[in-house]
C-alpha cells in the first residue's frame, strides 16, 4: 500500500503578500520552474498546456482573418538591427549578443531576436514587388529574448514565448484597420476565452513601441489593482519600409512604399490569468482554456462499483470535455486541495450514496457551489456550469476593475487616490510628455492608454493646467 | 484588366544537376528564402504549412503515447553543457556563444541550445524524487542552433525547427522500450503520412549521438540514391542521470538513478519529402500533409456559370478536404504549371462542357492520370484518389530504394558498386571503427545503420577479413 502524500501546503494569502502569493501559485500549481539561466524559466507541462490552448485559439482567429504562419531566423545581424533608428535605440540596450560560433570570433555580432520587425522587413523587400503581392499577412510563433534586469515567471522573463504578426498593406487606411482588427482579436481572446475584461486604447508617444507611429493596447486590471498590458498592436506607417527600401509597383504603375503593422501577445498572459482569477486556494482557470475542465474524484473509491462508475463516467465525458479521473490512493481531501490549487474549473464527486441515487455532485472552483446532478443530465449540466464559471469569473474581474476605477480633475485628488491604493485613475491630459514624467515622479503612475471610449472630465490637464486634449487612464503596472 | 503573369520558369532537370534542382524547387515552390544570417533560412508560408501539418500529426502521436509538452530555456550556461563529458565534446565545437547582455559582458558564457539534454536533466534533478514521479515523458517543440560550415535549406541549416523528446524511466528495459516506441512513431509518420519508406536500425558507436549508449535511426533513400537520416531515438542508460545527480527513492526504498531517452525529428524531413517525391515539374506533396490537397482550376472561367460552379464546389469540398480555388486572371496553363510546381496532389478542372455533363476532371500530380467524375460522386472519388496518390508515391519510392540496394561480400564489389552510383550497400561488418574509417576513405561511404532486420551475407568483414558480427547498410548521406 503506497504512502499517503501529505496535504498540499498552504500558500501565502493574497492580502498578506500578493507577490509571494503569485510565486507560490506558480510553483505549487506546477506552472513553471526556475532554471540555472538567470531570468529564464522552464514552462512545465501544466503551464505549457494552458499556453497550447491559448495558442490554438489565437491561431484559429489569425487564420480566420487571413493570416499565414512563417518562421524567421533567431539571430539578427547588428547592421540589420540598426537600419531603423528609433527601433535600434529602443532595443539595443536589452539584447543578448552572440559573438562566437564554435571557436571562431564572428566578424559581425548577431543579436538573439528581441522582436523580428527587421527580419520581416528584409524578407518583404525580397518578395513584395507589385501591388498584387499585397497585403502580406504573416505571423510567427517563437521565443524572443530581452535582457531584463528583474524578472518574474510569466510576467517578465528574459526569454518568453509569443506570437508576432507582421503585415504589409497598400494603403495607410488598410494598415490602420488591420492594427485595430488585431487588437479586437486580442480583446476577444481575453474576454471570451480568458474571462479577463480589458480596456482598449492607444498608447501615448512615450509608451509606444520603438519605431511605431502608434501603438494600441489592451490593458487588464489584476486582482491587486495593478495594470497588465496584455497585448499590443502597432501601426508603423511606412517608416520601416523606407528604411529597408521596400517598394512596390502600384496600380498606377508608380513605385510606392507599403504601410506596415505588427502585433504580439506572449506567455505573459498566463500571468494575467493567475493574477485576475486566482484566490487563496491557488489558481482558478477560465474553463475555455483550462487543460482539465473537470476532475473526477471518487469517494470511498474501494467500495463496490464506485471506481468502475467513475471510470465509465470519465470515458463518457471525455467525448465532450477535457476530463481526468484521479484514481490514486491519495485521500479525497488531498485531491480536493490539489485540484483547487491547480484551478480545475469543475470537480465531480461520486460515492456509494450517489451510486444508489444514480447521481453525482458537481462543485465549482470559483465559488464552491455544489449541485447534485442526475447522471443522465450530466453533459448538459457540465456545459451550463462551465459557462457559468466563465461568466462568474468575468463578472468578478469586471467588478474588481469597476470598484478600482476613479476619475480625478486635480493633482490633489490624484495623489489622494494613488496613495496606497492601486487602480485605474482617469484624468484629462494636455498631451505633453513632461506631464507624464511628473505623474510618474509625483504619483508613481504611468499612462496605461488613451481609451477609445473617451469621456470629458474637464477642460484642463490636472498636472500642468494647460488645455486638455484627451482622457488618459493611469495606473501602476506590471 | 490585370496583366498576365508570365509562365512559371522551368527548373533545372534532376538528371542534369540534382543539387541545383533541389534549390530551384525550394525557391520556386516558395518553401524557403535565404536571410542575411549565414546558414539561417526563412520558412515561407507554404513551407511552414507543411511543417504545421507534420507537427500536428506527430504531436497527436506523442500525446496518444502519454507525452506532455514543456518549454526549456533557449540558453545553456557553459558549466551546465560541460557536465556530461561525451556530450560537450560532441557539441561544443558547433555552438553559438552569447557573451554580452545589453552592454555588459557576461561572467559566464551561454550557448544557444544545440539540443536540450542538459536543461532537461537539470530540471529532472529538481522534480524527480520518488519512483512515483516516474516515468517523466516530456517533449518540446523549439528551434536549435548548430554552427554548421556548409548549409542547404531544410537539409542542413544552422538553425532548424524540431521537437526533442526527453524521458526518464525506472528501469533500463522501460527506457529501451520507449526508445523503440518513438522510433516506430517516426517510421509511422514517414510511411503512413509522408509516403517515405524507411529503414530502421541502430547506429554504430561512431555514428551515435554524443553521450548516448545507443542511437536508433530511420534512414530514407532520396531519389538520387543518397541517404537521409530522418529521425533518431537515443538510449542514454543512466549516464546523464549520474552526471546530473538525478536520484530517486525506489520501490525498495533505496536511492537509484533513472534511465533516460531522447528523440528528435526536424524540419530536415521537409528536405526528405522534396527529394523523395519531387520531379522535373517541381514538388510532389504526399496528400496527408499537403497544405492544399486539391486545387480547383476553372476553364473558360468567364463563360456562363463556370466560376459560380467552381465556387460552389470549393465551398462544398472544403468541408471534407483542404481545397483552394484559383479564380485569378492567370491562364489555366499558368495555373497548371504553378500548382504542379507546388506539388498539390490533385487538380480539379471544370469548364463549360463539364457543366453540361454535370461532371469535372480530376488530375493526379504524381502520374498526371485524368479521371472524369460525376459531380455527385466527387467526395468519394477525391478520397480514393488522395489515397491512390499516397500509395503511388510510397511504391515509387520503395522501388527506387529496392533498385538501388545491393549486397557485397568483398571490397572489390563494394568499390565497383560505390563508383559513380548512389544507393544502399549491405555488407557484413566486424564491429571495428577502423573498418568504418577505411570504408569512408576508400569508398566514400558511411554506415547508415545496422538494420533491425538482419541478413546473413557471409562470415567475414569484407574490409578487414575478420569474423563478422553484424550486417551494416552503407551509403552516401545528406
Amino acid at each position: 500500500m503506497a504512502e499517503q502524500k501529505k496535504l498540499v501546503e498552504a500558500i501565502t494569502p493574497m492580502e498578506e503578500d500578493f507577490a509571494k502569493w503569485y510565486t507560490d501559485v506558480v510553483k505549487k500549481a506546477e506552472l513553471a520552474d526556475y532554471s540555472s539561466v538567470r531570468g529564464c524559466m522552464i514552462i512545465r507541462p501544466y503551464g505549457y498546456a494552458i499556453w497550447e490552448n491559448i495558442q490554438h485559439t489565437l491561431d484559429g482567429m489569425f487564420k480566420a482573418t487571413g493570416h499565414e504562419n512563417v518562421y524567421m531566423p533567431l539571430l539578427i545581424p547588428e547592421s540589420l538591427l540598426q537600419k531603423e533608428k528609433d527601433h535600434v535605440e529602443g532595443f539595443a540596450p536589452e539584447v543578448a549578443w552572440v559573438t562566437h560560433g564554435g571557436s571562431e570570433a564572428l566578424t559581425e555580432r548577431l543579436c538573439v531576436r528581441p522582436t523580428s520587425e527587421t527580419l520581416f522587413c528584409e524578407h518583404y523587400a525580397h518578395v513584395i514587388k507589385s501591388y498584387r503581392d499585397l497585403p502580406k499577412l504573416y505571423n510567427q510563433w517563437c521565443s524572443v529574448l530581452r535582457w531584463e534586469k528583474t524578472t518574474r515567471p510569466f510576467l517578465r522573463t528574459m526569454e518568453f514565448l509569443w506570437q508576432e504578426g507582421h503585415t504589409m498593406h497598400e494603403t495607410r487606411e488598410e494598415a490602420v484597420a488591420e492594427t485595430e482588427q488585431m487588437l479586437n482579436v486580442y480583446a476577444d481572446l481575453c474576454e471570451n476565452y480568458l474571462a479577463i475584461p480589458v480596456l482598449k486604447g492607444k498608447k501615448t508617444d512615450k509608451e509606444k513601441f520603438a519605431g511605431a507611429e502608434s501603438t494600441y493596447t489592451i490593458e487588464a486590471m489584476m486582482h491587486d489593482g495593478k495594470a497588465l498590458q496584455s497585448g499590443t498592436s502597432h501601426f508603423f506607417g511606412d517608416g520601416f519600409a523606407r528604411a529597408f527600401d521596400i517598394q512596390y509597383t502600384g496600380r498606377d504603375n508608380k513605385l510606392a512604399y507599403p504601410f506596415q503593422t505588427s502585433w504580439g501577445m506572449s506567455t505573459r498572459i498566463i500571468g494575467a490569468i493567475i493574477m485576475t482569477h486566482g484566490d487563496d486556494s491557488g489558481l482558478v482557470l477560465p474553463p475555455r482554456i483550462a487543460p482539465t475542465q473537470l476532475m473526477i474524484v471518487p469517494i470511498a473509491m474501494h467500495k463496490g462499483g464506485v471506481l468502475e462508475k467513475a471510470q465509465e463516467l470519465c470515458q463518457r465525458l471525455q467525448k465532450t470535455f477535457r476530463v481526468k479521473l484521479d484514481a490514486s490512493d491519495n485521500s479525497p481531501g488531498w485531491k480536493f486541495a490539489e485540484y483547487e490549487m491547480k484551478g480545475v474549473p469543475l470537480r465531480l464527486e461520486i460515492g456509494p450514496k450517489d451510486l444508489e441515487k444514480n447521481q453525482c455532485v458537481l462543485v465549482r472552483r470559483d465559488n464552491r457551489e455544489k449541485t447534485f446532478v442526475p447522471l443522465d443530465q450530466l453533459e448538459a449540466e457540465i456545459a451550463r456550469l462551465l459557462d457559468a464559471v466563465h461568466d462568474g469569473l468575468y463578472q468578478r474581474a469586471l467588478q474588481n476593475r469597476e470598484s478600482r476605477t476613479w476619475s480625478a480633475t486635480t493633482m490633489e485628488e490624484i495623489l489622494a487616490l494613488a496613495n496606497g491604493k492601486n487602480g485605474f485613475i482617469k484624468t484629462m491630459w494636455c498631451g505633453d510628455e513632461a506631464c507624464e514624467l511628473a505623474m510618474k515622479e509625483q504619483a508613481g503612475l504611468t499612462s496605461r492608454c488613451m481609451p477609445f471610449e473617451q469621456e470629458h472630465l474637464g477642460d484642463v490637464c490636472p498636472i500642468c493646467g494647460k488645455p486638455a486634449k484627451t482622457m488618459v487612464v493611469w495606473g501602476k503596472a506590471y
Side-chain angles (χ1 to χ4, degrees), chain A:
Chain A
M1 184 72 186
E3 88 257 38
Q4 172 88 28
K5 272 201 203 178
K6 65 178 174 222
L7 269 176
V8 181
E9 285 168 63
I11 53 175
T12 308
M14 293 173 115
E15 295 300 321
E16 192 182 306
D17 185 340
F18 193 75
K20 191 153 186 328
W21 168 86
Y22 177 80
T23 48
D24 280 358
V25 171
V26 167
K27 199 181 160 191
K28 296 281 168 61
E30 300 187 339
L31 298 174
D33 193 14
Y34 295 94
S35 77
S36 62
V37 189
R38 185 184 72 77
C40 291
M41 67 175 168
I42 289 159
I43 307 182
R44 300 186 65 182
Y46 198 59
Y48 198 84
I50 296 172
W51 180 239
E52 280 184 311
N53 288 341
I54 292 172
Q55 198 173 19
H56 180 78
T57 307
L58 263 187
D59 198 66
M61 292 174 171
F62 295 161
K63 284 177 176 151
T65 43
H67 299 85
E68 299 179 293
N69 287 329
V70 298
Y71 188 76
M72 294 283 156
L74 171 73
L75 301 175
I76 306 174
E78 188 164 15
S79 56
L80 193 66
L81 189 71
Q82 286 172 340
K83 276 202 168 182
E84 210 286 335
K85 200 175 59 68
D86 291 337
H87 188 68
V88 67
E89 276 177 18
F91 281 104
E94 55 176 52
V95 296
W97 291 105
V98 170
T99 58
H100 289 72
S103 52
E104 282 169 43
L106 305 184
T107 51
E108 180 182 14
R109 300 197 298 178
L110 305 168
C111 82
V112 179
R113 64 180 163 222
T115 181
S116 306
E117 275 73 10
T118 53
L119 291 163
F120 275 86
C121 281
E122 184 189 38
H123 179 59
Y124 282 145
H126 287 181
V127 298
I128 296 174
K129 303 291 172 201
S130 147
Y131 71 91
R132 291 168 160 269
D133 300 321
L134 294 172
K136 283 277 181 245
L137 307 172
Y138 287 177
N139 176 64
Q140 113 170 327
W141 292 94
C142 64
S143 82
V144 289
L145 199 88
R146 298 178 186 175
W147 211 258
E148 303 280 359
K149 295 246 184 310
T150 51
T151 61
R152 296 174 72 185
F154 296 111
L155 292 177
R156 193 169 295 277
T157 45
M158 294 220 313
E159 185 191 7
F160 55 87
L161 300 182
W162 78 345
Q163 58 66 220
E164 45 179 323
H166 295 269
T167 70
M168 282 290 189
H169 306 264
E170 263 187 275
T171 64
R172 170 174 287 268
E173 292 67 34
E174 206 186 302
V176 170
E178 166 83 5
T179 316
E180 289 168 356
Q181 171 184 258
M182 299 324 288
L183 196 78
N184 287 331
V185 161
Y186 291 147
D188 181 11
L189 177 89
C190 286
E191 302 199 328
N192 298 315
Y193 292 84
L194 312 183
I196 300 175
V198 291
L199 188 67
K200 289 189 249 183
K202 197 174 161 180
K203 287 280 181 192
T204 62
D205 282 351
K206 180 176 177 299
E207 299 289 331
K208 75 182 183 189
F209 184 81
E213 202 170 300
S214 52
T215 289
Y216 299 155
T217 180
I218 49 171
E219 300 282 325
M221 185 188 285
M222 302 297 99
H223 188 77
D224 65 348
K226 284 197 191 169
L228 191 95
Q229 177 182 305
S230 302
T232 49
S233 181
H234 316 291
F235 171 63
F236 287 104
D238 59 6
F240 274 80
R242 287 175 188 274
F244 284 80
D245 199 25
I246 306 170
Q247 281 189 293
Y248 70 96
T249 308
R251 290 170 200 271
D252 57 2
N253 224 18
K254 287 182 189 158
L255 280 178
Y257 293 104
F259 294 88
Q260 185 177 358
T261 84
S262 80
W263 26 276
M265 183 177 265
S266 76
T267 36
R268 184 162 218 234
I269 199 73
I270 296 175
I273 294 170
I274 301 168
M275 293 197 298
T276 302
H277 302 309
D279 63 22
D280 285 344
S281 303
L283 195 61
V284 181
L285 288 178
R288 290 169 200 164
I289 56 86
T292 304
Q293 296 176 306
L294 178 138
M295 177 62 72
I296 301 177
V297 179
I299 312 291
M301 192 170 69
H302 300 294
K303 294 216 171 139
V306 172
L307 183 57
E308 291 70 18
K309 193 62 172 180
Q311 284 165 337
E312 179 199 315
L313 287 176
C314 185
Q315 282 196 345
R316 173 181 143 191
L317 296 174
Q318 276 175 341
K319 288 176 192 141
T320 318
F321 309 102
R322 296 187 289 275
V323 175
K324 282 194 174 174
L325 161 67
D326 186 346
S328 70
D329 281 332
N330 295 305
S331 71
W334 182 90
K335 292 177 189 175
F336 293 174
E338 171 72 6
Y339 302 114
E340 288 194 353
M341 180 61 72
K342 291 203 153 180
V344 177
L346 288 180
R347 177 171 81 225
L348 186 158
E349 302 171 15
I350 187 154
K353 281 183 196 161
D354 301 308
L355 273 193
E356 281 171 27
K357 297 181 191 166
N358 213 33
Q359 67 173 25
C360 67
V361 184
L362 292 178
V363 187
R364 281 172 64 161
R365 169 64 181 89
D366 61 328
N367 61 10
R368 291 192 173 72
E369 202 177 273
K370 283 192 175 198
T371 319
F372 290 86
V373 186
L375 293 187
D376 60 357
Q377 291 165 33
L378 253 183
E379 277 84 354
E381 191 58 19
I382 291 170
R384 190 187 70 77
L385 284 173
L386 289 175
D387 281 346
V389 172
H390 175 91
D391 294 342
L393 291 179
Y394 184 86
Q395 286 305 326
R396 202 180 66 120
L398 189 63
Q399 277 161 26
N400 182 54
R401 188 179 83 182
E402 282 174 356
S403 72
R404 289 173 177 270
T405 300
W406 309 287
S407 301
T409 52
T410 66
M411 203 60 201
E412 290 68 39
E413 281 178 352
I414 294 168
L415 291 173
L417 287 167
N419 185 16
K421 277 193 287 193
N422 295 327
F424 286 164
I425 302 178
K426 299 188 280 192
T427 78
M428 300 310 288
W429 177 51
C430 61
D432 286 352
E433 194 172 317
C435 288
E436 281 185 272
L437 293 170
M439 199 66 144
K440 176 76 187 162
E441 204 179 297
Q442 293 173 42
L445 303 175
T446 54
S447 72
R448 303 318 311 149
C449 69
M450 300 176 282
F452 291 154
E453 288 189 18
Q454 284 281 312
E455 295 167 51
H456 182 79
L457 306 172
D459 298 319
V460 295
C461 173
I463 307 147
C464 65
K466 281 189 285 193
K469 285 187 180 150
T470 181
M471 182 186 85
V472 167
V473 167
W474 310 84
K476 288 169 195 150
Y478 279 98

